[in-house]
């Protein structure tokens, strides 16, 4: 499997002490605060730990989120919110906006922001795994599943939690509808890339591969369109990636559609389909160069040099030459001036996000524990509120270089 995926940086956050002197009285309340502090720190550490796997990530995330739920939901499972929801100010950067964070005094904002980073971790884990040499079938399945899990987390945040925020997300911030929708669609498209690679490896019918490639190109086009109204200063590089992948997989679709036409003795149409694939491949190659030259969040690489890209170029060239030879010897068919219309619908292999739910409130939260937090003892002058323009240090992500001949670059 030779894939290359664009990745935006992880979100960074300011440290949170969960120290509520005078407010949290007694051992149970102090233990909850200590557990929140340590489980949050542990989860943040795992985001950049190369030895972390999905099981470790899920356990650490569940541990923190189950404790954080006590700051959000009432213990009697009513629709009321916890009295602690607005006790703490949280700061998070956004994947496209540099080091100046968004800040909200709302535990729901923390739940969503940390959940967003967990989803980003799954996408980066998938990229890292896809970059291994001689990837096994089980590892390919894990790449596929990780991308579907990430899509499911993003979708759950968008539908069930972002609407609960008191302060709506600003334009261009991660929690804004356009950005989170683009992340969902990109995860689905990349998971389908794995499906396509598997279908090619198992020598499935060219018609199925063409349909999957066409559906995948449509996903990338949809994601690009979702970002079209954002400022180019921070969205241009990401959009170049989505656009080049759209051209790349449309070229794939025309290439395999050409094989289907040839098998049906429609050699003239097959040649025209392959010519269209050749044209789109050249366009994707030009976009690869533009991507490498565009400033913005994401890795600085030359995608056109990667094996996943070069393999398609050779396939298009060889298939077109075969069609031309056969037309010159056998068919003598006229080549249409218009490219064939791709009206392909895949009946198999389409990716849906894996449904996601946050864990229930930790059993450590009891009515007695909650009662031990006395909000009347909060300092009247809350000087702990951070300045909105204060920078947060970026996450130091591991510098992972592609292994030999894999064609993958991982951020």
């Amino acid at each position: 499997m030779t894939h290359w995926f664009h990745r935006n940086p992880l979100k960074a956050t300011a440290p949170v002490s969960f120290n509520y002197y005078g407010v949290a009285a007694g051992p149970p309340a102090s233990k909850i605060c200590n557990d929140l502090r340590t489980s949050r720190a542990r989860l943040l550490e795992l985001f950049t730990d190369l030895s972390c796997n999905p099981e470790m990530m899920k356990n650490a995330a569940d541990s923190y989120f189950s404790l954080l739920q006590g700051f959000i939901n009432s213990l009697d499972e009513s629709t009321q919110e916890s009295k602690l929801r607005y006790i703490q100010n949280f700061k998070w950067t956004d994947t496209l906006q540099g080091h100046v964070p968004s800040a909200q005094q709302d535990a729901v904002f923390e739940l969503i922001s940390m959940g967003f980073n967990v989803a980003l971790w799954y996408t980066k884990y998938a990229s890292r795994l896809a970059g291994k040499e001689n990837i096994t079938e089980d590892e390919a399945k894990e790449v596929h599943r990780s991308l579907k899990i990430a899509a499911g987390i993003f979708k759950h945040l968008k539908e069930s939690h972002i609407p609960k925020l008191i302060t709506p997300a600003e334009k261009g911030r991660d929690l804004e509808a356009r950005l989170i929708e683009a992340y969902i669609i990109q995860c689905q498209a990349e998971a389908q890339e794995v499906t396509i690679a598997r279908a090619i490896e198992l020598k499935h019918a060219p018609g199925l591969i063409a349909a999957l490639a066409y559906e995948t190109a449509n996903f990338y086009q949809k994601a690009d369109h979702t970002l079209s109204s954002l400022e180019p200063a921070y969205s241009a590089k990401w959009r170049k990636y989505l656009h080049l992948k759209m051209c790349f997989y449309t070229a794939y679709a025309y290439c395999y559609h050409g094989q289907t036409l040839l098998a049906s003795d429609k050699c003239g149409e097959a040649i025209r389909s392959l010519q269209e694939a050749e044209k789109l491949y050249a366009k994707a190659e030009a976009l690869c160069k533009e991507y490498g030259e565009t400033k913005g969040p994401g890795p600085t690489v030359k995608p056109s040099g990667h094996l996943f890209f070069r393999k398609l170029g050779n396939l298009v060239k060889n298939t077109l030459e075969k069609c031309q030879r056969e037309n010159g010897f056998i068919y003598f068919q006229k080549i249409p001036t218009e490219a064939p219309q791709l009206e392909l619908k895949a009946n198999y292999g389409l990716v849906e996000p894996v449904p996601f739910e946050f864990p229930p409130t930790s059993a450590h939260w009891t009515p007695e524990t909650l009662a031990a937090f006395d909000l009347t003892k909060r300092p009247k002058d809350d000087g702990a509120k951070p300045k909105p323009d204060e920078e947060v240090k970026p996450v130091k992500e591991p510098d992972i270089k592609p292994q030999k001949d894999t064609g993958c670059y991982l951020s």
Side-chain angles (χ1 to χ4, degrees):
M1 187 195 306
T2 54
H3 296 294
W4 165 74
F5 301 135
H6 167 94
R7 290 291 174 261
N8 292 325
L10 285 166
K11 294 164 75 66
T13 182
V16 179
S17 69
F18 293 102
N19 286 332
Y20 307 115
Y21 299 113
V23 174
S30 297
K31 184 178 186 325
I32 283 276
C33 292
N34 185 59
D35 289 349
L36 276 162
R37 181 169 56 253
T38 55
S39 61
R40 187 181 199 261
R42 172 62 178 152
L43 183 52
L44 292 172
E45 282 173 11
L46 285 181
F47 288 143
T48 55
D49 184 346
L50 294 182
S51 67
C52 181
N53 59 40
E55 184 181 3
M56 292 166 65
M57 177 53 62
K58 185 178 188 311
N59 289 341
D62 283 355
S63 174
Y64 179 58
F65 290 138
S66 66
L67 289 166
L68 188 64
Q69 294 279 27
F71 274 43
I72 298 169
N73 300 317
S74 64
L75 297 183
D76 60 3
E77 297 185 357
S78 70
T79 54
Q80 283 188 315
E81 62 192 26
S82 169
K83 68 179 184 180
L84 303 175
R85 176 173 170 179
Y86 307 105
I87 194 174
Q88 177 69 52
N89 202 304
F90 297 95
K91 292 200 301 182
W92 284 90
T93 62
D94 295 270
T95 54
L96 301 182
Q97 298 281 358
H99 306 154
V100 177
S102 302
Q104 289 196 34
Q105 190 137 340
D106 188 347
V108 171
F109 178 67
E110 167 74 356
L111 183 82
I112 295 165
S113 301
M114 190 69 84
F116 197 103
N117 244 19
V118 171
L120 286 177
W121 179 87
Y122 274 101
T123 70
K124 288 170 183 270
Y125 175 76
S127 290
R128 194 161 69 243
L129 202 55
K132 288 181 65 177
E133 290 186 59
N134 305 317
I135 185 169
T136 66
E137 184 181 336
D138 285 344
E139 287 169 334
K141 286 178 180 176
E142 193 156 2
V143 171
H144 193 253
R145 180 164 177 78
S146 294
L147 289 166
K148 291 196 297 179
I149 288 171
I153 296 172
F154 286 130
K155 188 170 187 282
H156 182 63
L157 295 177
K158 182 188 173 203
E159 293 176 355
S160 301
H161 296 279
I162 291 174
K164 294 177 184 174
L165 286 172
I166 304 299
T167 308
E170 296 171 35
K171 183 179 178 182
R173 298 288 183 177
D174 287 338
L175 309 189
E176 196 219 330
R178 290 173 297 180
L179 262 82
I180 203 159
E181 181 67 14
Y183 276 113
I184 294 167
I185 300 166
Q186 181 179 333
C187 288
Q188 290 177 276
E190 289 175 350
Q192 281 189 193
E193 289 192 47
V194 181
T195 305
I196 292 166
R198 182 72 176 155
I200 293 169
E201 186 184 336
L202 296 177
K203 295 182 168 54
H204 279 293
L208 173 63
I209 296 168
L212 282 170
Y214 184 60
E215 300 268 19
T216 303
N218 286 341
F219 266 138
Y220 279 117
Q221 184 178 34
K222 186 179 175 185
D224 179 52
H225 180 72
T226 302
L227 298 176
S228 62
S229 55
L230 292 178
E231 288 292 329
Y234 53 80
S235 64
K237 194 174 189 74
W238 191 6
R239 289 194 63 201
K240 286 284 184 215
Y241 166 77
L242 298 169
H243 195 189
L244 79 84
K245 281 288 183 89
M246 181 197 76
C247 289
F248 183 79
Y249 278 98
T250 309
Y252 244 120
Y254 272 111
C255 180
Y256 278 91
H257 185 55
Q259 293 182 25
T260 305
L261 291 168
L262 181 62
S264 305
D265 297 326
K266 297 176 180 177
C267 196
E269 290 179 46
I271 290 172
R272 186 63 188 86
S273 190
L274 266 299
Q275 287 173 341
E276 195 67 17
E278 197 172 46
K279 186 173 82 175
L280 284 158
Y281 180 79
K283 187 176 179 182
E285 198 166 27
L287 283 164
C288 282
K289 187 180 178 185
E290 290 175 26
Y291 173 87
E293 294 170 351
T294 303
K295 292 181 179 179
T300 304
V301 292
K302 294 179 180 177
S304 56
H306 290 294
L307 185 58
F308 94 98
F309 195 87
R310 298 197 310 271
K311 279 176 78 174
L312 176 60
N314 291 333
L315 180 65
V316 170
K317 179 175 175 287
N318 294 338
T319 311
L320 178 57
E321 287 175 356
K322 178 187 175 184
C323 290
Q324 288 169 331
R325 277 197 312 271
E326 299 210 3
N327 203 44
F329 278 109
I330 303 167
Y331 295 102
F332 306 104
Q333 292 175 2
K334 187 179 178 182
I335 299 164
T337 53
E338 294 292 322
Q341 288 294 311
L342 292 179
E343 295 176 352
L344 307 171
K345 191 76 182 168
N347 297 318
Y348 307 98
L350 294 177
V351 167
E352 286 297 328
V354 171
F356 174 81
E357 291 284 343
F358 282 109
T361 306
S362 167
H364 292 297
W365 281 103
T366 63
E368 292 75 25
T369 308
L370 188 61
F373 287 86
D374 186 353
L375 296 183
T376 63
K377 294 182 179 176
R378 289 178 74 187
K380 287 182 182 177
D381 179 25
D382 190 357
K385 287 186 179 180
K387 298 170 187 174
D389 58 349
E390 203 176 309
E391 287 200 352
V392 169
K393 289 181 182 178
V395 178
K396 289 186 178 178
E397 300 191 48
D399 181 23
I400 305 167
K401 294 180 181 177
Q403 297 181 43
K404 185 181 176 184
D405 291 330
T406 65
C408 294
Y409 181 91
L410 315 171
S411 64

